[in-house]
Amino acid sequence: MTPDVIKPSLTIRLCGPRGFCAGVDRAIQIVVLALKAYGAPVYVRHEIVHNRYVVEGLEAKGAVFVEELDEIPAEHRAQPVVFSAHGVPKSVPADATARNLFYLDATCPLVSKVHKQAMRHQRLGRHVILIGHAGHPEVIGTMGQLPEGSVSLVETVEDASVWEPPVDPDNLGFVTQTTLSVDDTAGVIARLQERFPALQAPAADSICYATTNRQEAVKQAAPGCDLFIVVGAPNSSNSKRLVEVALKAGAKRSLLVQRASELDWDEIGTIGTLGLSAGASAPEVIVDEIIAAFKERFDATVDLAITTEENEHFLVNRELRSLELTVADMAFVNGDQAPPPRV
């Protein structure tokens, strides 16, 4: 009889909050409910959220992802097209209207809030500084709310040190992308305020609650971790920021992982404490998958590292609210966890 292999001990510090935020949950629910209401195909412009697993799960249900509206065949123009959670420039719904397309906007309400803050600055005659990452869909969407030339993008403290305003430096306002590093963004804002003392802040913080909460949880859990894993996609801004936050907070190593199959066990080696979190567009079923993979190789104990409870829920579009959303509808991302109440 072969003796049992003794597994090395491992403590997994599982962060909370982690994973889906209310805006991501809402966006995925909109696609799922649209498929129930109107049947396949439902078109989605751009990835609904930055997670390949989620996109493939929706494709299996009948969603078709396109980059531009002209990819929708003429015979399917009566089918809905959903705009992603990241938001879109004003030109996109205008284009949809011109093409007689029926669209459902899944823009996160907190991204929409940033749009309104930017438009308020512009309406008050201020040149808008947007702190964010060039090329990110949310940045493209926010800049697309304003007339060309009325907004400037600043990415880093170095940018903030050399940027020159095209207008009166006493007439500036700023907003930020919702998924930035809280600490890094504070440095950029401080440099801008140092150079332009009259700089006007938005009426409320632009970085969303979910980004802040996930970063705070990682900061608390990371010290003393031999390895910190963040579940998320390489094009997910908030997930990449969590990797950086973990290293700055004291984790010896930090990795961004999309699936358990990506784990390089030789590289992981012998560890005693693992930190684990997930970006705001990473489904809980993959967190469970990662934990299961470690439990196969380690005598693992999961310790919850919870810094706050989140209870935010955003309503789906009015056209979809009468439809029932079941556990089975969302099982592809939530497992057997019930979807949040739609109140």
Side-chain angles (χ1 to χ4, degrees):
M1 187 174 184
T2 304
D4 292 336
V5 176
I6 298 176
K7 298 178 181 178
S9 296
L10 177 67
T11 298
I12 301 175
R13 294 180 186 166
L14 181 61
C15 289
R18 64 181 178 276
F20 284 176
C21 61
V24 165
D25 246 330
R26 173 181 179 269
I28 296 169
Q29 290 174 16
I30 287 170
V31 180
V32 170
L33 290 170
L35 284 162
K36 292 185 80 168
Y38 305 104
V42 165
Y43 287 86
V44 184
R45 184 187 178 276
H46 189 67
E47 288 187 337
I48 187 69
V49 297
H50 281 158
N51 190 276
R52 193 66 221 162
Y53 181 93
V54 172
V55 168
E56 290 173 356
L58 291 170
E59 285 176 333
K61 289 177 173 288
V64 177
F65 288 82
V66 297
E67 287 303 309
E68 299 299 342
L69 299 181
D70 60 11
E71 297 174 45
I72 299 174
E75 62 269 24
H76 288 162
R77 286 186 179 173
Q79 291 296 105
V81 56
V82 180
F83 300 153
S84 83
H86 307 102
V88 295
K90 283 185 174 179
S91 59
V92 173
D95 184 27
T97 299
R99 295 174 183 273
N100 293 317
L101 296 174
F102 166 47
Y103 65 85
L104 296 166
D105 191 353
T107 300
C108 172
L110 299 180
V111 173
S112 296
K113 183 182 76 172
V114 174
H115 292 175
K116 292 172 185 174
Q117 292 168 343
M119 289 187 285
R120 179 176 182 273
H121 280 318
Q122 197 261 338
R123 189 171 63 250
L124 293 173
R126 300 168 188 153
H127 184 81
V128 179
I129 301 170
L130 171 59
I131 302 169
H133 298 300
H136 190 278
E138 183 184 326
V139 166
I140 294 169
T142 299
M143 295 184 77
Q145 305 304 308
L146 303 171
E148 189 171 350
S150 62
V151 57
S152 296
L153 180 66
V154 170
E155 296 193 63
T156 64
V157 172
E158 291 72 24
D159 291 344
S161 297
V162 299
W163 178 76
E164 293 297 335
V167 297
D168 179 1
D170 290 334
N171 211 15
L172 305 172
F174 77 86
V175 294
T176 81
Q177 185 179 331
T178 63
T179 55
L180 301 178
S181 162
V182 174
D183 294 339
D184 290 350
T185 304
V188 176
I189 293 170
R191 183 69 183 110
L192 287 169
Q193 289 173 330
E194 180 184 337
R195 293 189 63 208
F196 310 110
L199 178 67
Q200 296 295 309
D205 193 357
S206 297
I207 295 178
C208 82
Y209 78 90
T211 297
T212 302
N213 289 348
R214 279 149 190 71
Q215 290 180 19
E216 283 301 315
V218 168
K219 286 180 187 178
Q220 293 296 317
C225 284
D226 300 305
L227 175 64
F228 204 105
I229 288 177
V230 175
V231 181
N235 59 340
S236 167
S237 175
N238 77 87
S239 298
K240 291 194 291 185
R241 301 295 80 76
L242 292 178
V243 173
E244 297 164 0
V245 168
L247 287 173
K248 289 179 180 178
K252 294 177 183 175
R253 291 181 290 157
S254 187
L255 298 174
L256 183 65
V257 174
Q258 296 189 81
R259 298 296 301 273
S261 58
E262 295 180 5
L263 295 169
D264 184 334
W265 297 104
D266 291 334
E267 180 186 351
I268 290 170
T270 302
I271 58 174
T273 304
L274 171 72
L276 181 59
S277 186
S281 43
E284 187 68 8
V285 291
I286 299 182
V287 175
D288 294 340
E289 177 185 281
I290 299 284
I291 292 172
F294 274 93
K295 284 187 171 181
E296 286 182 8
R297 294 162 177 82
F298 293 85
D299 180 13
T301 302
V302 177
D303 287 349
L304 296 179
I306 299 173
T307 54
T308 189
E309 297 285 345
E310 291 180 349
N311 53 18
E312 289 81 0
H313 304 296
F314 298 142
L315 283 172
V316 298
N317 309 68
R318 190 176 304 278
E319 298 93 332
L320 305 173
R321 290 178 195 170
S322 63
L323 294 166
E324 181 186 9
L325 186 72
T326 68
V327 172
D329 290 331
M330 299 294 286
F332 73 107
V333 287
N334 292 338
D336 57 3
Q337 174 184 314
R342 294 159 61 202
V343 295

